[in-house]
Amino acid sequence: MEAAKRRLVSEAKVYRIGKLLARAGLCPRRKTAEFLREHDVRIGGVRIQALNHRITEEALAKSKLTVDGCEIVLNIEPSVIIFHKPTGVVCSHRRQNFRGTAIPTIFEFLPAEYQKWFFAGRLDVASSGLVVLSNDGDHIFALSHPSQGVIKTYHVHTSRPLSPAEMARLESGIWDRGELLRARKIQPLAQPAHYEIHLQEGKNRAIRRMLARCGVRVNALIRTRLGPYQLGALRPGEWKKIPKADTLSIG
């Protein structure tokens, strides 16, 4: 009988506390220990402080998860949203101010239930294109972290055409502010002074900084792909919920 009970428990869907907090958009799993120290996290009224605390799906359905006394609605299954960030919008959970003017955030385009989701692919205010959001903090961390080597693709309109020597220089790497910035691949598009640029590292404003070193200004920059996710036909400000990719490879 005891063996049968143990087998049933092992076959049940079991969640670690870190995964539950990540699904709620509260913290990535790698920061679970810190979150548990700083907040009163309870399941069924019992405070959780152990990093390895587990709970079955069945038990979770009968219990409330609260953080600092507030009930948390859980999204157990991992989900992904692809969003076309317009120019003039900031990738942040909080509005930013520039010279006294409030800049809208990507979350102002999304329904309330997605306001705490994590996002990958931060774009500066002047850039547009694909941003990926998810309730799975680990997935967003993997998409964002340089160690994963996730490829990001951009379509860039420059102030003038690039010479073959300049394109080779971008691919070999350019030093700027103590950082080596490098395009994994750059190729011309059909229109003059339009290029597809692939990056493997997400350094701040890397494309603009590289091109500036060549004496070239970026007129427009749009991200079209982030790992396995593509912008597709989404217009600026539009979003779509899609299944989470099984792999980070772009195929």
Side-chain angles (χ1 to χ4, degrees):
M1 180 65 73
E2 289 301 317
K5 285 182 180 179
R6 285 195 297 271
R7 186 166 59 252
L8 286 172
V9 170
S10 66
E11 292 173 355
K13 205 163 188 179
V14 179
Y15 298 98
R16 283 179 176 266
I17 186 62
K19 177 175 280 191
L20 295 180
L21 296 176
R23 291 288 188 272
L26 295 169
C27 71
R29 271 197 273 186
R30 67 187 185 282
K31 294 188 176 180
T32 301
E34 178 183 345
F35 191 89
L36 291 175
R37 285 195 303 269
E38 296 178 354
H39 297 273
D40 184 355
V41 178
R42 295 174 184 263
I43 296 178
V46 178
R47 184 167 186 182
I48 309 302
Q49 294 179 294
L51 186 61
N52 64 348
H53 181 86
R54 294 176 173 85
I55 184 169
T56 65
E57 188 172 38
E58 182 181 4
L60 187 62
K62 300 175 183 177
S63 307
K64 286 183 181 180
L65 170 65
T66 63
V67 175
D68 299 331
C70 298
E71 185 175 354
I72 303 299
V73 178
L74 288 169
N75 296 296
I76 298 300
E77 294 304 319
S79 299
V80 164
I81 284 174
I82 54 173
F83 173 67
H84 187 156
K85 186 192 92 67
T87 57
V89 174
V90 66
C91 291
S92 173
H93 284 90
R94 296 182 180 180
R95 272 201 166 202
Q96 309 292 311
N97 285 287
F98 179 71
R99 295 178 180 174
T101 301
I103 304 173
T105 78
I106 57 175
F107 292 96
E108 293 179 43
F109 293 81
L110 299 171
E113 60 263 37
Y114 306 122
Q115 296 301 303
K116 292 185 178 180
W117 279 28
F118 306 97
F119 62 88
R122 188 185 297 273
L123 288 167
D124 63 50
V125 175
S127 301
S128 63
L130 178 64
V131 175
V132 179
L133 302 98
S134 179
N135 61 341
D136 186 340
D138 292 334
H139 187 57
I140 291 300
F141 178 76
L143 281 171
S144 307
H145 201 273
S147 66
Q148 300 298 316
V150 174
I151 304 298
K152 308 163 191 68
T153 304
Y154 303 81
H155 285 183
V156 182
H157 177 206
T158 56
S159 57
R160 64 165 174 80
L162 300 173
S163 69
E166 287 171 328
M167 287 191 285
R169 186 184 174 198
L170 291 171
E171 290 182 342
S172 62
I174 295 175
W175 284 96
D176 180 67
R177 303 175 202 166
E179 290 185 305
L180 181 62
L181 309 175
R182 180 162 37 210
R184 188 173 186 267
K185 183 170 70 173
I186 178 169
Q187 56 190 46
L189 297 173
Q191 293 177 280
H194 282 72
Y195 301 89
E196 183 173 274
I197 299 179
H198 297 227
L199 296 182
Q200 200 163 12
E201 294 183 355
K203 293 176 180 174
N204 186 39
R205 299 174 63 87
I207 291 176
R208 295 180 187 276
R209 290 162 58 193
M210 282 191 291
L211 289 169
R213 282 290 187 177
C214 296
V216 178
R217 185 180 68 256
V218 172
N219 289 339
L221 185 153
I222 179 171
R223 180 163 51 222
T224 59
R225 191 165 194 166
L226 175 56
Y229 300 107
Q230 298 186 63
L231 183 62
L234 287 179
R235 296 179 180 274
E238 291 183 342
W239 60 276
K240 181 167 64 174
K241 197 171 183 180
I242 62 172
K244 174 187 167 185
D246 293 328
T247 174
L248 298 182
S249 170
I250 65 170

